[in-house]
Amino acid sequence: MTPEPGLASDPHGRLSVALAVCAQRLAADPVGAVEEREVLAEVLVTLRESAGALRAVLYENITLPTVGPAARLLVEVWAPSERSLTEIYGLERTLIWSKMTDADRMAMAAGEPIGGSIAQRFADAPLMCADLDELGIGTLHMFPIMFSGQWWGHLGLSHREPQSWRDSEVQLMRAAAAMIGMFLQRNREVAALRAREAMLEGLSDSLPDAFLYQIEEQPDGTSRRTYLSRSLEQRSGISVDLALHDFDLLPTRMHPDDVSAYEAAKQYAQKNNTPYKFEHRYTTTDGSIRWMRWHSSPRVTSDGRRLWSGLATDITDYQQLQESLRQANQNLRRRIDQLVLFNQIAQHLGGMTNTSTTLSVVCRLICAMFNASEVLVALRDLPARDLKMVARAAAMDVDDLLSPTMLARIEASLGADNGVTWVEGPTPPGYVVLAVALAAQDMPIGLLLICVAQADAHLSGEIISLAQTVAGAIAGAAVGAQLYVRAVQSRERLERLNAASRMINESGLDPQALYGAIHCAVAHLMPVEAFVITLVEAGSAVAETVYAYDLAGLEQGTYRFGLEQSFVGYMRQHGSTLRVDDFRQFYQQHPEVKFHVYGDEQDTRSAVAASLRTSDGVYGILFSQCYLPGVYSDEDLTILELLSVHAATAIQNVRRAQQRRRDAIDEERSRLARDLHDSVNQSLFSASLIAERLPEMMQLSPDDANEGLRQLHQLTRSALAEMRALLIELRPAALAAAPLHQAINHLAQAFGGRRGITIKTELDPAPVLPPEVQIALYRIVQESLSNVIKHAYARTAHVRMEVTPLVGDSEVSWSGTIDIQVRDNGRGFAIDQVGVGRFGLEIMRERATAIGAELELLSQTGVGTQVTLIWCGSAGVA
């Protein structure tokens, strides 16, 4: 700002005096908002009058949403000849900073005053000049007011006529602006402080769980309370006024056990002049015990006094919450430990096969889970339904707390307590027993007994719930173990049953061998001291015991008896199976039964029997006896019934095989009789007739006699060939052992002599073939020649066998091809017209297929038939 010529009549002196007056007025104690405006108005009046100004104003910087930075008129004073800006404009006067130049705004923000003649100083701000001209202002000076280095507002002085200011006057006015700024800043800080104090006092008085305090310690060691918030009365019932008057009132309320620790903490803080925190219990006026936490900080004044200011908080709820959390953490840790132990229990129970060993481990884990002194598990013995201890564990070196004699009494008390009860029994002082029923599918299977300290009885709900969970797991595992054992036993029985079935299958077709195999199979599956097999033919009233064994050994032969009043008859009427646990009771319960058991009747006590039924109507029984009562179970009866089905099938197969063998023997005998009659018998008969006539023919005609001798020779050779062929057929071993070419040659001679057909043979020597191959080739050639004799009406036939070995054969083995042809010059037939009933041809094809040979049949009506058989394989060297 360029100073203008000085104010008239020594304005510097007037400004200096006015500044002193303003300083004295602005140095007064902080006041409220209304008083603040009054003080500022007095100061502005003094400054206006001393400067001879038309108007003095005080503006506060603001920001308007629409125009941005601006200044709001805070205080205004004017000359008596003028009107106020508010009266002129009808509202609060606002200065828009955008009407000024950027340079002026930046100077004001930097704390530099601006001002001078309107026409010259504000020529670059036409909007500003227009506003000032409207007010009739010729000169304007603006002095910035700073708050902590920030531009807060400004002090403005205006004159109607142009005025000039000296530098000293400008500096004095700047000082006035600075004093106004300090006054405003101090007044606002004090107001804010008082507002905070009022708010804090209001808060402290309304604190629900705390109160503020201040204690003053004098240099002579005496202390007094200078402040206590009213919330003290709400928490403790102690009057604030009384506590301020009586310094020892509050310490006397402290719990005696906490006094020494409190004194030690306070002395340490006093000695080291450091803050301290302390928690203690205190007694309220109604006698209840609560917790208090003290936070105290020291401050030493210039005159040597120590002020302790702090906050006392009622932490009873916090302590209770902490205690609840501590107990919750203990419970959580206990639950986690229990879950870990339960997981281990579940793992052991999940793989339980040996009940006693596994449950002993589980009992030890249950001891750790419940902190129990002893744990016992008792399970029912299913056959006898008795409760027996299977595992127990003791966590301490104590005598048995749970005697087995208690089990019956405990079990009887469970019915009325839903499977859970506390037992007061022969336990050491301070212990009780929790009994939990083990049940599976609502069926009681045992007991779980846990002996715990009586101090843990308050956890009864938790203990019972967890114990029931463990009991459920044990019950499930026990049932699973029983099922596993039964499954293993069933598997073993099935394996034995399978072995028994194989034993029966491998017994062959001999009946006695089969009966003995059935006996061995049954003995392999269950106890057997006497065993009987009895059969009844279909429609017969007589039974036959085909196998009987007792401790004296196997009875030789069979014996027959009537079904009436026999055990077989009883079985036939009453069912397919029967189990007798004690024959003495059985006879008493069934007096109508008159039959007798096999073996020693006095000693025979128990038995099982199963029926045999075959598809061809044969009925029978398998009867196993023992000399002890109650030996057999339902499972034994089921096994015997299953085995009886297999045995019935095997018996039926043996009987059928025997019948087939008898039928085959009869059929072979008939065939041999026919062959002997058709061949050897006819040849011998013809030879006998020729031999009878030879003497007569020799006398009458020597030539005829020679012809007769030739015919006799031919007939005897044919009969000899027939007998050789029959002998070979009657001995299969001889047929398999004889060279194939020799056997076929004998066969051809026999067939040629039988019908007087000329059969030529060309047979290569054959190797030693496998028996099944040699027999099949022989039978096919035999069937082919038989067809020539029976159906071909041929005059000649030709049998050729060509043996072709492969190159490189060794001296001990042979590999190659055997090609056999049988052809005749008979009447032939059309192959496509051969009927289904030609079993001879079908049998030939089946035999060829069985040994892997190729069979080809060629025939033409009126020309003849040719059968070709080709086999490739290995054999021994002849």
Side-chain angles (χ1 to χ4, degrees), residues 207-284:
L207 286 175
D209 296 320
F211 62 89
L212 298 175
Y213 66 91
Q214 187 176 67
I215 298 175
E216 180 184 280
E217 291 182 358
Q218 300 293 336
D220 59 1
T222 60
S223 299
R224 70 182 184 90
R225 291 187 181 85
T226 59
Y227 176 75
L228 279 173
S229 59
R230 295 293 174 182
S231 57
L232 170 66
E233 298 180 2
Q234 301 175 9
R235 303 309 305 171
S236 64
I238 300 174
S239 170
V240 171
D241 296 335
L242 186 60
L244 289 174
H245 177 73
D246 186 358
F247 183 80
D248 296 329
L249 179 60
L250 291 180
T252 57
R253 297 280 185 173
M254 189 178 299
H255 195 281
D257 295 341
D258 300 334
V259 173
S260 60
Y262 165 73
E263 293 294 339
K266 185 178 69 171
Q267 291 175 8
Y268 179 85
Q270 290 172 341
K271 180 179 179 182
N272 297 278
N273 198 35
T274 58
Y276 76 93
K277 179 177 70 173
F278 182 72
E279 296 177 358
H280 69 87
R281 291 161 290 178
Y282 71 95
T283 305
T284 64

Side-chain angles (χ1 to χ4, degrees), residues 705-719:
N706 289 332
E707 178 62 22
L709 288 174
R710 186 188 65 77
Q711 293 178 358
L712 181 62
H713 179 259
Q714 183 178 358
L715 289 172
T716 55
R717 287 188 61 186
S718 176

Side-chain angles (χ1 to χ4, degrees), residues 341-342 345-346 349 352 359 362-363 365-366 369-370 375-379 414 418-421 434-450 462-480:
L341 291 171
F342 184 77
I345 291 173
L349 293 177
M352 183 170 72
L359 289 182
V362 169
C363 285
L365 293 173
I366 295 175
M369 176 182 289
F370 292 96
V375 174
L376 179 146
V377 175
L379 295 176
L414 285 175
N418 297 321
V420 180
T421 185
L434 175 65
V436 185
L438 303 179
Q441 297 180 350
D442 298 330
M443 290 293 294
I445 65 170
L447 284 178
L448 170 63
L449 304 181
I450 305 173
E462 176 184 337
I463 291 177
I464 290 175
S465 176
L466 185 59
Q468 287 177 322
T469 303
V470 174
I474 294 175
V479 172

Side-chain angles (χ1 to χ4, degrees), residues 489-509:
Q489 293 174 348
S490 298
R491 184 189 65 189
E492 292 175 351
R493 284 182 175 266
L494 288 176
E495 290 176 352
R496 292 198 300 269
L497 181 61
N498 186 37
S501 300
R502 289 198 303 270
M503 191 182 304
I504 293 175
N505 291 335
E506 295 170 357
S507 63
L509 298 178

